[in-house]
Amino acid sequence: MKLSQSGTSKVKPANTGKTKLATTGKAKQVGKASKRGGGGLVRTLLMVGFLGLVVFVSYEYTRLPDAAPLLKQNPKTTALMEQRAQEAKEAGRKVRRTQSWVGLSNVSKHAIDAVLLSEDASFYLHEGVDTKELENALEDAMRKGKLGRGASTITQQLAKNLWLSTDRSLLRKGKELILAHRLETSLPKNRILSLYLNVVEWGNGVYGIEAGAREHFGIPASQLTPAQGAILAAMLPAPRKRSPSSGSKALEKRAHWIIEQMEAVKRLDAGQARVAHAEIEQILSGKKPDASEEEVEGA
């Protein structure tokens, strides 16, 4: 009996060791599976949350503005203009507003190309929302805990400028998506682009590309060069901060990138691109960068 017990006691440690190894191996497999499933879970929760937001916003659908009148009428003012005016009054500053409406035929083709390539290269292909970019932006927002500027198409930006505020809440984003859909179903693409170019902010109290061209270059929008158009397009993420006279390195870098994109898609040939790069340097040269400049992103 003693020999049997002794033999048994020798076998147990060996069995215990195998069990630990097997358990550890299973734990590693479970850990890997959890990591693989984690990404899918986050994506699922993200999409469920977004769908919930759409449902929540939908009850306001009938209360949101109708886009159809914009087919033949230009808006007399916009939510952004009113917001800037209120901000100026609260700060004790004089309210400034300069704007001149022009048709697309009175805007330099190079300037239009620059804005499209910078802000929404797929403008004529999507129906108001770039779903892939929106998904990427929502995932990025989940990681950072806040909404960034990414994924806003020109149609969405127009909806925001016309009717909404500049806050970055999910509620506002939901309304923006509904209004972008209304714009796309009520208006042709060229009308949406024309409205956008005429109301977008291009400096303190400067609205629309005609006012922007005259404010920053002293010429009408029809005479903008590729370099000037690229500079105006590069201002759009932060138009009141990134003026040509600000010395912004971010503005300069973005303007050069836009010219590179225009050459890549054959909007400019190599010679025109070289001239544009040189003109950007000439326009922006001699400016001291503002050390306090903070790159601003909006949804």
Side-chain angles (χ1 to χ4, degrees), residues 60-118:
E60 289 194 4
Y61 188 86
T62 56
R63 299 170 57 189
L64 293 174
D66 181 13
L70 294 173
L71 181 62
K72 297 181 179 180
Q73 300 174 10
N74 294 330
K76 296 180 179 180
T77 187
T78 68
L80 180 62
M81 292 175 188
E82 296 304 314
Q83 179 182 327
R84 296 303 189 215
Q86 185 61 35
E87 291 170 352
K89 291 177 181 177
E90 291 175 355
R93 302 192 309 268
K94 182 179 179 180
V95 176
R96 182 181 186 229
R97 174 177 166 180
T98 174
Q99 180 190 32
S100 296
W101 281 84
V102 292
L104 290 181
S105 60
N106 291 318
V107 180
S108 161
K109 183 65 168 62
H110 291 310
I112 293 175
D113 288 339
V115 171
L116 285 172
L117 287 169
S118 178

Side-chain angles (χ1 to χ4, degrees), residues 60-297:
E60 289 194 4
Y61 188 86
T62 56
R63 299 170 57 189
L64 293 174
D66 181 13
L70 294 173
L71 181 62
K72 297 181 179 180
Q73 300 174 10
N74 294 330
K76 296 180 179 180
T77 187
T78 68
L80 180 62
M81 292 175 188
E82 296 304 314
Q83 179 182 327
R84 296 303 189 215
Q86 185 61 35
E87 291 170 352
K89 291 177 181 177
E90 291 175 355
R93 302 192 309 268
K94 182 179 179 180
V95 176
R96 182 181 186 229
R97 174 177 166 180
T98 174
Q99 180 190 32
S100 296
W101 281 84
V102 292
L104 290 181
S105 60
N106 291 318
V107 180
S108 161
K109 183 65 168 62
H110 291 310
I112 293 175
D113 288 339
V115 171
L116 285 172
L117 287 169
S118 178
E119 294 299 293
D120 189 358
S122 301
F123 174 71
Y124 284 101
L125 302 177
H126 62 65
E127 297 181 355
V129 178
D130 188 326
T131 54
K132 181 60 179 177
E133 287 299 317
L134 179 61
E135 182 180 337
N136 292 339
L138 287 171
E139 290 181 351
D140 187 58
M142 178 69 77
R143 289 193 299 270
K144 295 180 178 179
K146 64 178 181 179
L147 285 173
R149 180 175 180 269
S152 289
T153 63
I154 279 177
T155 311
Q156 288 174 253
Q157 291 181 53
L158 175 61
K160 181 184 70 174
N161 285 354
L162 286 173
W163 297 305
L164 304 172
S165 68
T166 57
D167 74 86
R168 303 181 191 181
S169 70
L170 285 173
L171 179 60
R172 194 223 75 195
K173 197 70 175 179
K175 292 180 179 180
E176 178 186 298
L177 295 176
I178 292 174
L179 289 170
H181 176 70
R182 289 190 177 183
L183 286 167
E184 289 281 343
T185 55
S186 300
L187 310 175
K189 284 286 189 178
N190 280 353
R191 178 57 176 166
I192 293 173
L193 180 59
S194 177
L195 287 166
Y196 173 80
L197 289 173
N198 277 287
V199 302
V200 72
E201 191 175 31
W202 251 303
N204 182 28
V206 181
Y207 302 96
I209 196 165
E210 179 71 11
R214 294 184 181 278
E215 175 81 7
H216 301 294
F217 303 114
I219 60 174
S222 61
Q223 296 179 16
L224 288 167
T225 66
Q228 292 167 334
I231 290 172
L232 287 178
M235 290 175 61
L236 291 178
R240 296 190 297 169
K241 188 178 290 292
R242 288 186 182 182
S243 71
S245 61
S246 68
S248 169
K249 289 298 181 183
L251 174 66
E252 180 180 358
K253 182 179 180 181
R254 183 71 176 179
H256 282 299
W257 178 86
I258 292 170
I259 294 299
E260 291 170 1
Q261 298 308 302
M262 292 174 72
E263 182 181 6
V265 297
K266 310 300 182 184
R267 295 295 187 269
L268 298 174
D269 60 35
Q272 290 174 315
R274 282 196 299 273
V275 170
H277 283 302
E279 187 180 348
I280 289 173
E281 293 293 334
Q282 181 181 15
I283 292 172
L284 302 180
S285 65
K287 306 297 188 290
K288 295 181 179 180
D290 183 357
S292 64
E293 177 180 343
E294 177 184 356
E295 297 309 331
V296 178
E297 294 183 352

